[in-house]
Amino acid sequence: MKEETQKKDSYKKLFSNTLIFAIGTFSSKILVFLLVPLYTHALVPKDFGIADLLMQCANLLIPIVSVAITESVIRFGLDKRYNKKTVFTTGFVVIIFGMLVLLPFMPFISMIRFVKGYGILLYLYVFIASIKLHFSEFVRSKQLLKLYAFNGILTTFLMLGLNILFLVVLKIGLIGYLLAIMLSDFISIIFLFIIAELYKYFSLSSLKKSVMRQMLKFSVPLMPAMIMWWITNVSDRFLVQTFIGDNANGLYAAAYKIPTIITVIYSMFNQAWNLSAITEYDSSKKGRFYTNVFNSNQSVVYIVAGGILLCIMPLVKILLDNKYFIAYRYIPFLVLAAVFTCFTSFLGSIYAATKKSKNSFYTLLFGALLNIVLNLILIPIVGINGASIATFASYSLVFMLRIIDIKRFIHIKVDFLTMILNMMLLGTMTAAILLMGKFMIVPLLLCFATIVIINFSVILKSVKAVMPEKIKRKIPFLK
């Protein structure tokens, strides 16, 4: 009876944390989509492509200069055996040191074609984003989830206002795009520093070599893992630009925005799952817990992916400017890739819980290598969609490697038959979009309805697990 109660509490805690993170991140993530029409209207495909490359360059530099220390901040911050002052100060010092190391390399980075003229802004962006990530992860490790959520909402409205100011009122284009992100992140840093009283946790005297060594031992293998993740996720954009040009990359970057709906919705859950995967790791029933959560997770992902493919034309017309309409042809394979991105992220949290960060790197290494090889082969032959196909294949491989590896130390069951059936249906929807033109709607509706029917029972079971008994008794089919 006690074990059953603890089991229900685990699911309910995961659910409540997901709601809190959803409140904090939903507004900011929805803003990404609301701003896409503004970006695609204010920026021509060439500038939008350059802006995307600058952001992705920053995303590559952040884990390098910080040696992924923010991953240690959340992992060790949740561990009661470690002093929070030591954890916070270690993370901050490592980031400052990394930024100092980066400084002499900036003149060389600024020689890259798309970075020319934006070197200073890129450096400031990396610095501000690294500090914001550090502060946010530490607040999350303290489980100040409501504050974390409110900060997300605050950053959202700041970014919205600054984007309107810089892109619509002042019309300063690409620079305005970068400044809006940087200033909203900077204000977020000040807000967390004061409200969460983070200044109380900074103490150079609290630094301990042993703790720093342990944190770096955990985070350093994650740095190349993040680089591999970046290669798998982003290298295609640089290769599209190289083989086809800036305009093509602008179209591809715009196409990427639609499948991001899946990863955005998943990220609301994943932040809570990351906490649960770590806190539940010592439970004797962790295998069953991980299995049940994964089953529920994949069912939701399939339905969301199917919904996006079903509504692909309205979404493109609403979110993208007319000059980007052709980008709809590059979306379907990116949707399939997003499905496996979610699955690999789920398994990545298990690696974090078990502190097997090296395994995370090795699996991503193979995915990154496959991604580069397929991009080099397919982009010259197939065009932009060659990059989409390469991304899908790479994440599929990473997922298969991770599930095989994790089964060696965690008893997690995966229903591969149901997974194959769902992916076949999503594949059929992809073929209909690419080959059937205006006649696509019938197969899209049939496939989506089938996906909902297949996954409905799993989602219903999950709802019953987290719903309060009083409400459950009032709904006949939930009894």
Side-chain angles (χ1 to χ4, degrees):
M1 186 70 181
K2 186 178 180 181
E3 281 189 5
E4 188 66 25
T5 303
Q6 289 176 341
K7 176 184 171 184
K8 287 183 178 180
D9 288 343
S10 297
Y11 293 115
K12 288 180 179 178
K13 186 177 181 181
L14 174 60
F15 179 70
S16 63
N17 285 347
T18 300
L19 285 180
I20 293 171
F21 284 123
I23 293 168
T25 60
F26 184 73
S27 54
S28 61
K29 301 301 184 181
I30 285 298
L31 178 65
V32 172
F33 304 110
L34 294 178
L35 286 175
V36 169
L38 175 62
Y39 292 151
T40 54
H41 177 74
L43 302 172
V44 296
K46 180 180 178 180
D47 285 347
F48 191 63
I50 292 172
D52 182 67
L53 291 178
L54 285 169
M55 292 297 98
Q56 301 309 330
C57 185
N59 290 337
L60 172 63
L61 290 172
I62 289 168
I64 293 174
V65 299
S66 67
V67 289
I69 197 67
T70 51
E71 296 295 321
S72 285
V73 168
I74 181 69
R75 181 62 184 87
F76 286 78
L78 283 168
D79 197 323
K80 295 178 181 178
R81 294 172 295 177
Y82 296 92
N83 182 284
K84 290 195 181 295
K85 277 188 177 182
T86 304
V87 173
F88 179 81
T89 306
T90 300
F92 191 81
V93 167
V94 168
I95 290 171
I96 296 299
F97 179 77
M99 292 306 302
L100 291 173
V101 172
L102 175 64
L103 194 56
F105 290 95
M106 284 309 298
F108 301 101
I109 294 173
S110 297
M111 291 179 185
I112 300 172
R113 187 169 67 88
F114 63 86
V115 180
K116 282 182 181 177
Y118 304 105
I120 294 173
L121 283 175
L122 178 63
Y123 183 83
L124 290 174
Y125 180 92
V126 171
F127 179 58
I128 292 169
S130 298
I131 297 297
K132 186 206 172 187
L133 183 60
H134 171 52
F135 282 14
S136 299
E137 291 300 273
F138 186 74
V139 166
R140 193 154 68 103
S141 75
K142 289 179 66 183
Q143 303 206 42
L144 299 174
L145 303 187
K146 291 180 181 178
L147 176 61
Y148 180 91
F150 182 79
N151 180 62
I153 296 170
L154 173 67
T155 307
T156 295
F157 284 103
L158 285 169
M159 191 182 294
L160 176 61
L162 290 168
N163 268 290
I164 292 172
L165 174 64
F166 293 140
L167 295 180
V168 179
V169 179
L170 299 179
K171 296 182 179 180
I172 53 178
L174 182 52
I175 292 176
Y177 173 87
L178 298 172
L179 286 175
I181 299 171
M182 288 165 55
L183 287 175
S184 59
D185 281 354
F186 180 74
I187 295 170
S188 169
I189 289 170
I190 302 300
F191 173 75
L192 290 177
F193 188 74
I194 295 171
I195 302 301
E197 299 181 328
L198 298 183
Y199 51 85
K200 292 183 177 180
Y201 293 91
F202 182 77
S203 172
L204 292 174
S205 61
S206 69
L207 285 173
K208 293 181 180 179
K209 287 184 179 179
S210 59
V211 175
M212 182 178 285
R213 194 179 298 113
Q214 290 179 62
M215 289 179 68
L216 289 172
K217 185 179 179 181
F218 178 78
S219 72
V220 168
L222 288 174
M223 179 182 69
M226 289 180 175
I227 294 171
M228 293 304 107
W229 187 277
W230 181 90
I231 290 172
T232 306
N233 200 38
V234 178
S235 63
D236 48 2
R237 305 187 199 189
F238 290 89
L239 290 171
V240 166
Q241 184 211 36
T242 301
F243 284 114
I244 309 177
D246 288 327
N247 282 339
N249 186 57
L251 291 171
Y252 189 58
Y256 237 107
K257 298 296 182 183
I258 308 297
T260 305
I261 295 171
I262 301 171
T263 51
V264 161
I265 292 173
Y266 177 78
S267 70
M268 300 174 194
F269 157 81
N270 194 50
Q271 293 179 85
W273 165 241
N274 200 25
L275 296 178
S276 291
I278 294 170
T279 55
E280 293 293 325
Y281 181 65
D282 292 328
S283 168
S284 60
K285 303 291 183 180
K286 59 179 176 289
R288 184 190 302 174
F289 177 68
Y290 290 172
T291 297
N292 291 339
V293 175
F294 179 71
N295 288 337
S296 302
N297 166 70
Q298 65 170 331
S299 292
V300 173
V301 170
Y302 292 137
I303 291 174
V304 174
I308 291 171
L309 292 175
L310 175 65
C311 303
I312 189 168
M313 288 306 183
L315 285 171
V316 169
K317 290 177 181 178
I318 292 169
L319 293 176
L320 303 182
D321 194 77
N322 287 337
K323 56 183 174 282
Y324 291 85
F325 180 75
I326 191 64
Y328 85 89
R329 295 190 61 82
Y330 317 130
I331 294 172
F333 278 108
L334 291 175
V335 169
L336 300 183
V339 170
F340 281 102
T341 300
C342 296
F343 297 166
T344 56
S345 295
F346 181 94
L347 298 177
S349 294
I350 298 179
Y351 280 140
T354 57
K355 294 185 178 179
K356 294 184 181 293
S357 48
K358 288 182 181 179
N359 300 51
S360 179
F361 164 68
Y362 293 135
T363 55
L364 285 169
L365 174 61
F366 287 108
L369 291 173
L370 178 65
N371 183 261
I372 292 172
V373 171
L374 289 179
N375 273 314
L376 291 171
I377 295 171
L378 294 176
I379 292 175
I381 299 172
V382 183
I384 297 175
N385 244 340
S388 306
I389 296 167
T391 301
F392 166 55
S394 301
Y395 279 117
S396 302
L397 175 65
V398 174
F399 169 73
M400 292 305 299
L401 292 174
R402 285 191 171 185
I403 198 65
I404 292 169
D405 181 44
I406 284 174
K407 277 177 169 288
R408 294 188 301 109
F409 47 88
I410 299 286
H411 186 62
I412 181 170
K413 296 179 181 179
V414 177
D415 187 348
F416 285 106
L417 183 61
T418 302
M419 178 178 286
I420 291 169
L421 181 57
N422 277 288
M423 291 308 300
M424 285 177 64
L425 289 165
L426 291 174
T428 302
M429 296 178 80
T430 296
I433 292 167
L434 295 177
L435 302 175
M436 297 186 67
K438 62 182 180 180
F439 301 106
M440 70 174 78
I441 189 63
V442 173
L444 290 182
L445 282 169
L446 289 173
C447 288
F448 179 69
T450 307
I451 290 171
V452 172
I453 292 168
I454 291 171
N455 295 283
F456 181 76
S457 62
V458 176
I459 294 176
L460 182 63
K461 183 180 177 182
S462 303
V463 171
K464 290 169 70 175
V466 299
M467 186 169 285
E469 290 296 329
K470 290 182 180 179
I471 299 177
K472 206 184 297 182
R473 283 195 291 268
K474 294 179 181 179
I475 304 176
F477 68 87
L478 288 180
K479 288 182 181 179

